[in-house]
Amino acid sequence: MGIQKEMSFLDHLEELRWHIIRALGAIMVAATAAFLAKGFIFDILIFGPTKADFFTYEFLCNTSKLLGFESFCDTNFDFEVQSRTMAGQFSAHIWTSITFGLIVAFPYVLYEFWKFISPGLYNKEKNSSRGFIFISSVLFFIGVLFGYYIVCPLSINFLGTYSVAEQVHNDFDLNSYIGLIRASTLASGFIFELPIIIYFLTKIGLVTPEFLRKNRKYALVIVLIFAAVITPPDIASQVIVAIPVLILYQVSILISKLVLRNQKRKEKNGE
């Protein structure tokens, strides 16, 4: 069944307003907790990829040794992160806390979004969308971890050691450094939502498996451009980022195929 009571446009806006308020409230609660945990957020998380004993560098070092060559084994960042404005550190603290709050509260934000749209769905549509919040959240968190443990270290390792001349010393602005961390993690998190997006686009008839297969070569170009934007300009880093995104695209084709198969089966059975 659909919604049981007709609602006016203003009623829908009022309902949407309260969903947004509750979602923002959850983000602010998580952001407040992050603000209070300044030592952990900055010393461990934000500046973790600048330390030689960071998990990714040790893993890549050990892996490269097994392959017969040493890489990422001499990770020594000779740069400083500075704040050049009066309110620079406080502003960075605020916005980093909000970003952390968004990441932590993401499942609840999805829940509020689902609560808003679900009354307008039929029971069979609700049943076919079970697990939406859980799967979307898992994909998002995997993407965030991928951005933090893969994209960020590769970018920092390259950009932090790159030099055009010995006379030029790297002194990065705090907001620039944190912006790199934020963009890498959030972009990866949202990119990993691709299978969910394809699922719903297929449900409403905007995307088909044939369309996705036909445009695979264009998707490959877009993925490589995306990898080039969020990673340092070296082939190895771009390939490391591009591979999981291409896998997600292939999984999306399979999901689209399964959605259409289920729809045809239900139409055949008269459901």
Side-chain angles (χ1 to χ4, degrees):
M1 296 293 293
I3 56 177
Q4 300 297 321
K5 179 183 178 181
E6 291 293 332
M7 298 176 64
S8 67
F9 177 72
L10 292 179
D11 290 334
H12 281 295
L13 284 181
E14 178 67 13
E15 185 72 16
L16 177 61
R17 183 172 75 93
W18 281 106
H19 285 294
I20 293 175
I21 289 174
R22 286 192 290 268
L24 290 176
I27 293 174
M28 293 312 298
V29 169
T32 301
F35 186 86
L36 297 175
K38 180 176 65 173
F40 173 77
I41 296 298
F42 282 89
D43 295 339
I44 304 299
L45 296 182
I46 297 299
F47 291 107
T50 66
K51 300 174 183 177
D53 60 351
F54 189 65
F55 169 79
T56 304
Y57 302 135
E58 291 189 341
F59 175 79
L60 291 175
C61 177
N62 294 331
T63 302
S64 63
K65 286 181 178 179
L66 292 177
L67 297 177
F69 60 93
E70 293 189 6
S71 179
F72 294 95
C73 294
D74 186 23
T75 306
N76 183 23
F77 298 110
D78 184 25
F79 66 79
E80 295 181 1
V81 179
Q82 300 182 0
S83 177
R84 296 180 175 87
T85 59
M86 286 292 293
Q89 295 196 54
F90 181 72
S91 176
H93 191 186
I94 292 291
W95 285 108
T96 300
S97 299
I98 293 175
T99 302
F100 188 85
L102 172 62
I103 293 173
V104 172
F106 185 77
Y108 185 79
V109 173
L110 281 181
Y111 170 76
E112 287 294 339
F113 169 74
W114 180 249
K115 289 287 288 183
F116 177 69
I117 67 171
S118 60
L121 302 177
Y122 292 99
N123 288 333
K124 62 180 182 180
E125 292 174 327
K126 293 180 182 179
N127 293 334
S128 63
S129 301
R130 285 179 178 174
F132 161 72
I133 297 174
F134 176 76
I135 296 175
S136 298
S137 299
V138 169
L139 288 174
F140 178 76
F141 289 137
I142 291 175
V144 167
L145 292 175
F146 177 80
Y148 180 72
Y149 283 104
I150 302 297
V151 180
C152 288
L154 291 176
S155 299
I156 292 172
N157 183 72
F158 178 82
L159 298 174
T161 57
Y162 188 82
S163 176
V164 295
E166 292 184 0
Q167 291 84 352
V168 182
H169 184 265
N170 286 327
D171 289 326
F172 301 124
D173 183 74
L174 176 62
N175 288 323
S176 175
Y177 174 81
I178 293 179
L180 173 67
I181 303 291
R182 179 172 56 244
S184 300
T185 53
L186 289 181
S188 298
F190 289 120
I191 282 294
F192 271 62
E193 294 293 312
L194 180 62
I196 299 296
I197 296 173
I198 295 299
Y199 172 83
F200 283 104
L201 290 179
T202 304
K203 290 284 289 184
I204 62 179
L206 292 180
V207 167
T208 63
E210 291 74 21
F211 173 83
L212 295 174
R213 294 192 191 97
K214 182 179 178 181
N215 293 279
R216 184 187 280 116
K217 57 184 179 181
Y218 302 110
L220 174 61
V221 174
I222 294 175
V223 167
L224 292 176
I225 293 175
F226 168 77
V229 169
I230 69 172
T231 61
D234 64 274
I235 300 299
S237 299
Q238 293 175 13
V239 169
I240 290 174
V241 173
I243 287 176
V245 180
L246 291 175
I247 293 175
L248 285 173
Y249 188 83
Q250 193 62 37
V251 170
S252 298
I253 295 177
L254 178 60
I255 290 175
S256 181
K257 183 178 180 181
L258 292 175
V259 170
L260 285 184
R261 180 183 300 173
N262 290 335
Q263 288 180 342
K264 291 179 181 179
R265 178 178 57 80
K266 290 179 179 179
E267 291 174 359
K268 182 177 180 181
N269 295 335
E271 297 182 12

